[in-house]
């Protein structure tokens, strides 16, 4: 492909990629394609707006007769099972309520559930007849986590729920995996879906479009499809037998979202890394490939961190509008992007207790992956886990304005480091990449030693000691990571930022931000950008009022309208991060808290 053609694609991305800023990416590695002999799954969870991420373990439970699952307004009230599995839960919640399509689960049978948007499908989501009793949203993933004992059973349970109630959202792909196999379930709004097993010697990559192509309707070992799927497509005029084999993705993907740059760039990058060569297609990307070499967790992490660095798809002009020259909020959609809230690489083990969730609590290019064993005991206290995860699960869909406010927990320090680093990215990118590689290499060596020691205890019948050893190691590792990040933050040259007044009504008025980029440094007014923590800088960044920048001694000041600060759309105390460049083009950054009242 010529350089000019690639630039043409990049220009297309400038026009189109913005509407897919908040979406996810998943990598799945079959057990024989993995050096561990078990499945590996990597997932970036991407969602826009002010989102609070929390983690907790929901224990197994018995439920009362006629109990139903809490659901979003208007959705089906589905009867609860008498007994449910326990599970590790990563929750995404806004002030308006928990998200319906974002949370991840790993249950105590070793079944993992993550998902990716495949919007838009061709289905008419205004047609109420596609659903029964209002359909299912969030509870589809909850039910799988609570009831499935294997990855295949997860798909079968989901299929029974979809057959009965129908799916609300336009289109979505669920990855269900255990140590032995992984499945991809791709759902069209309503009661139509297809699931395909990832081959043991295969690896799959999914951005935000359907990826299941030709379906073998007779191969029930590797495919599970909704009743009458082909006939439904024929009745809608989306497929005719004379067109050839039934291609699920081409049939059900909306034409306007077929082969769009926000997806194809990621597919090309992901498959190129998996195959160790450039992997480009101008038709469609495959459901899976057979990698020439084993795909370990380090390569999965590299894929999830990808910005296309060093290629024509990472031009400097795309980074220029942002203070730190970071790649995340550019118009060119990256795999690791501005809306990445959490990244996780799940390395299944030969026994449940050896399954490791390598978790980056934000963008994985800025925060290292931390090994966790959430099924072996309490989560590390420094991660500020939920105090009442079972109760929070019941309240998940309800609004909670307090969740949007900044909190001074230990876990908040991960986000604070990330926000500061983003503002001085260009000065520290190369060195930070080397540090992360070295630091994670040390964590991996310690993790290997921990597995050996824990296995010895398990094999001698001392399982409780083994689990306690693993939980203690997790706690010490999390504290070590936070300590390392504190040291690195101290070296980033964080500037002092203050807001006056520190409490303001969003109904009107002006807030003045004062900052000191350093002695002798003059800020470029056009480079200044103010962003609420976790918000997308490209779509929600705030520029100073024109002409308001002025110098007061060694301090610089500018004004913004208080109403512009209300990105979270609720009252509360929020972190705001200010970045810019001086006249020599060198970045600076810092943050402060502002309380917004109605």
């Amino acid at each position: 492909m010529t350089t000019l053609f690639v630039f043409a694609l990049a220009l297309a991305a400038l026009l189109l990629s913005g509407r897919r800023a908040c979406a996810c990416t998943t990598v799945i590695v079959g057990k024989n394609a993995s050096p561990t002999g078990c499945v590996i799954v990597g997932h970036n969870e991407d969602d826009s707006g002010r989102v609070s991420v929390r983690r907790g373990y929901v224990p197994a439970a018995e439920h009362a007769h006629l109990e139903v699952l809490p659901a979003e307004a208007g959705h089906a009230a589905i009867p609860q099972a008498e007994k449910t599995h326990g599970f590790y839960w990563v929750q995404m919640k806004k002030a308006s309520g928990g998200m319906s399509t974002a949370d991840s689960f790993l249950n105590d049978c070793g079944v993992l559930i993550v998902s990716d948007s495949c919007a838009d499908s061709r289905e008419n989501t205004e047609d109420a007849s596609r659903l029964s009793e209002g359909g299912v949203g969030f509870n589809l993933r909850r039910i799988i986590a609570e009831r499935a004992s294997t990855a295949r059973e997860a798909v079968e349970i989901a299929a029974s729920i979809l057959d009965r109630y129908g799916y609300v959202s336009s289109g979505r792909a669920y990855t269900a995996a255990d140590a032995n196999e992984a499945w991809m379930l791709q759902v069209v709004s309503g009661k139509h879906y297809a699931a395909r097993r990832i081959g043991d010697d295969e690896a799959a990559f999914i951005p935000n479009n359907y990826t299941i192509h030709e379906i073998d309707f007779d191969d029930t070992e590797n495919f599970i499809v909704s009743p009458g799927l082909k006939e439904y497509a024929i009745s809608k005029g989306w497929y005719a037998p004379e067109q050839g084999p039934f291609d699920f993705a081409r049939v059900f993907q909306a034409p306007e979202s077929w082969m769009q740059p926000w997806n194809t760039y990621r597919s090309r990058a992901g498959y190129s890394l998996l195959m160790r060569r450039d992997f480009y297609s101008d038709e469609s990307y495959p459901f899976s490939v057979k990698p020439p070499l084993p795909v370990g967790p380090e390569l999965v992490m590299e894929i999830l961190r990808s910005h296309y660095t060093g290629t024509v798809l990472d031009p400097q002009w795309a980074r220029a509008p942002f203070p730190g020259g970071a790649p995340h909020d550019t118009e060119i959609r990256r795999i690791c992007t501005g809306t990445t809230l959490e990244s996780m690489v799940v390395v299944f083990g030969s026994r449940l207790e050896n399954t490791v969730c390598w978790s980056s609590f934000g963008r994985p290019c800025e925060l290292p992956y931390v090994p966790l064993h959430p099924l072996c005991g309490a989560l590390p206290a420094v991660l500020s886990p939920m105090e009442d995860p079972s109760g929070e699960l019941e309240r998940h869909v309800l609004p909670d304005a307090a969740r949007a406010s900044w909190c001074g927990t230990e876990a908040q320090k991960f986000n604070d480091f990330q926000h500061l680093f983003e503002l001085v990215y260009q000065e520290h990118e190369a060195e930070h990449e080397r540090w992360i590689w070295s630091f994670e290499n040390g964590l991996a060596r310690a993790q290997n030693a921990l597995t050996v020691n824990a296995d010895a205890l398990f094999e001698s019948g001392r399982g409780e000691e083994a689990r306690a050893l693993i939980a203690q190691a997790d706690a010490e590792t999390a504290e070590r990571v936070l300590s390392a990040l504190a040291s690195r933050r101290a070296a980033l040259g964080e500037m002092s930022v203050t807001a006056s007044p520190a409490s303001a009504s969003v109904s009107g008025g002006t807030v003045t931000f004062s900052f000191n980029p350093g002695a002798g440094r003059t800020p470029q007014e056009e480079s200044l950008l103010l962003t609420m923590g976790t918000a997308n800088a490209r779509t929600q960044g705030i520029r100073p009022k024109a002409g308001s920048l002025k110098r007061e001694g060694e301090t610089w000041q500018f004004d913004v309208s208080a109403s512009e600060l209300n990105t979270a759309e609720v009252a509360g105390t929020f972190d705001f991060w200010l970045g810019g460049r001086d006249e020599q083009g060198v970045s600076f950054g810092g943050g402060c808290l502002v309380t917004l009242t109605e």
Side-chain angles (χ1 to χ4, degrees), residues 61-69 79-83:
E62 295 184 2
H63 301 275
H65 180 58
L66 300 181
E67 184 177 337
V68 297
L69 297 173
Q80 178 59 288
E82 291 184 4
K83 295 182 179 181

Side-chain angles (χ1 to χ4, degrees), residues 270-338:
Y271 278 129
S272 292
L273 286 167
L274 288 169
M275 297 301 289
R276 272 80 167 185
R277 62 175 175 82
D278 186 38
F279 196 97
Y280 169 74
S281 175
D282 58 3
E283 291 294 329
S284 64
Y285 283 88
F287 172 77
S288 58
V289 293
K290 294 184 178 181
L293 296 171
V295 177
E298 301 84 1
L299 182 56
V300 176
M301 292 174 188
E302 182 179 350
I303 293 170
L304 295 178
R305 284 176 164 137
S306 177
H307 309 128
Y308 324 135
T309 303
T311 75
V312 72
L313 294 180
D314 184 31
Q316 290 304 302
W317 55 261
R319 298 189 185 202
F322 304 98
H328 302 110
D329 285 311
T330 69
E331 297 285 351
I332 297 174
R333 173 61 158 87
R334 321 299 173 114
I335 294 176
C336 176
T337 190

Side-chain angles (χ1 to χ4, degrees), residues 128-253:
S129 68
R130 77 193 194 286
L131 305 174
S132 297
E133 302 175 43
V136 63
F138 173 77
N139 279 333
L140 183 63
R141 68 190 61 217
R142 173 178 174 174
I143 287 170
I144 296 170
E146 290 185 332
R147 304 181 189 181
S149 299
T150 66
R152 183 183 179 96
E153 187 180 21
V155 175
E156 292 171 344
I157 290 170
S160 67
I161 296 296
L162 294 169
D163 291 342
R164 173 67 179 85
Y165 298 100
Y167 191 66
V168 174
S169 299
S170 181
R172 182 153 292 273
Y174 287 88
T175 296
D178 59 34
N180 293 312
E181 66 175 350
W183 284 76
M184 182 80 70
L185 169 66
Q186 299 188 354
V187 185
V188 180
S189 186
K191 300 180 180 180
H192 306 287
Y193 55 85
R196 180 174 171 179
R197 184 180 183 274
I198 290 87
D200 293 341
D201 59 350
E202 295 179 339
F205 179 94
I206 181 167
N208 299 114
N209 51 241
Y210 294 122
T211 59
I212 295 175
H213 294 289
E214 185 175 347
I215 293 175
D216 185 344
F217 288 90
D218 296 323
D219 182 2
T220 57
E221 290 298 312
N222 294 293
F223 291 91
I224 297 174
V225 299
S226 54
L229 180 69
K230 185 186 296 187
E231 291 75 16
Y232 178 76
I234 293 172
S235 72
K236 299 291 287 187
W238 299 336
Y239 171 70
E242 57 268 25
Q243 293 174 340
F246 185 85
D247 185 321
F248 178 87
R250 193 173 286 275
V251 168
F252 285 102
Q253 195 77 54

Side-chain angles (χ1 to χ4, degrees), residues 251 362 413 445 468 521 527 561 588:
V251 168
K413 294 177 181 178
R445 290 196 303 270
R521 300 180 69 182
S527 75
S561 170
F588 53 80

Side-chain angles (χ1 to χ4, degrees), residues 547-564:
S548 68
L549 180 66
K550 61 182 180 181
R551 183 173 182 173
E552 295 286 343
E554 292 299 315
T555 301
W556 294 82
Q557 300 178 347
F558 65 86
D559 298 331
V560 300
S561 170
S563 61
E564 286 189 85

Side-chain angles (χ1 to χ4, degrees), residues 328-531:
H328 302 110
D329 285 311
T330 69
E331 297 285 351
I332 297 174
R333 173 61 158 87
R334 321 299 173 114
I335 294 176
C336 176
T337 190
T339 54
T340 300
L341 298 173
E342 177 130 336
S343 184
M344 181 167 60
V345 177
V346 178
V347 183
F348 288 94
S350 56
R351 57 164 48 96
L352 184 64
E353 293 87 352
N354 287 344
T355 294
V356 187
C357 295
W358 288 86
S359 300
S360 177
F361 307 118
R363 288 183 286 271
C365 70
E366 295 172 334
L367 295 170
Y369 284 99
V370 181
L372 295 176
H373 304 75
L375 303 181
C376 277
L379 291 171
V382 296
L383 299 184
S384 308
M386 303 176 196
E387 293 181 2
D388 178 22
S390 297
E392 181 58 39
L393 186 65
E394 301 307 303
R395 299 186 294 269
H396 174 72
V397 299
L398 301 178
D400 184 357
R403 287 289 296 274
S405 285
W406 182 89
C407 56
T409 62
E410 290 296 292
Q412 180 67 46
K413 294 177 181 178
F414 288 102
N415 275 337
D416 291 348
F417 175 87
Q418 173 181 269
H419 297 324
L420 175 62
F421 190 88
E422 186 82 355
L423 301 176
V424 293
Y425 193 96
Q426 63 186 14
E427 284 80 16
H428 299 275
E429 177 181 10
E431 187 272 335
H432 193 63
E433 181 180 356
R434 290 191 296 271
W435 173 80
I436 281 182
W437 181 88
S438 177
F439 190 76
E440 287 178 349
N441 192 35
L443 294 179
R445 290 196 303 270
Q447 172 57 41
N448 290 338
L450 174 64
T451 298
V452 171
N453 293 335
D455 276 348
L457 290 172
F458 280 120
E459 290 168 7
S460 64
R462 298 156 65 188
E464 288 304 313
E465 289 183 51
R467 282 182 280 272
L469 176 69
I470 292 171
Q472 179 62 29
D474 282 3
E476 292 173 355
T477 298
E479 290 177 357
R480 177 186 169 193
V481 173
L482 270 180
S483 177
L485 288 176
S487 297
R488 296 197 63 73
R489 179 173 180 174
L492 294 180
E494 183 173 2
M495 69 178 180
S496 172
V497 181
T498 60
S500 180
S503 179
S505 170
V506 296
S507 60
T510 296
V511 176
T512 299
F513 286 86
S514 301
F515 64 100
N516 184 351
R521 300 180 69 182
T522 300
Q524 301 177 33
E525 181 171 3
E526 67 277 10
S527 75
L528 296 176
L529 187 69
L530 184 71
T531 310

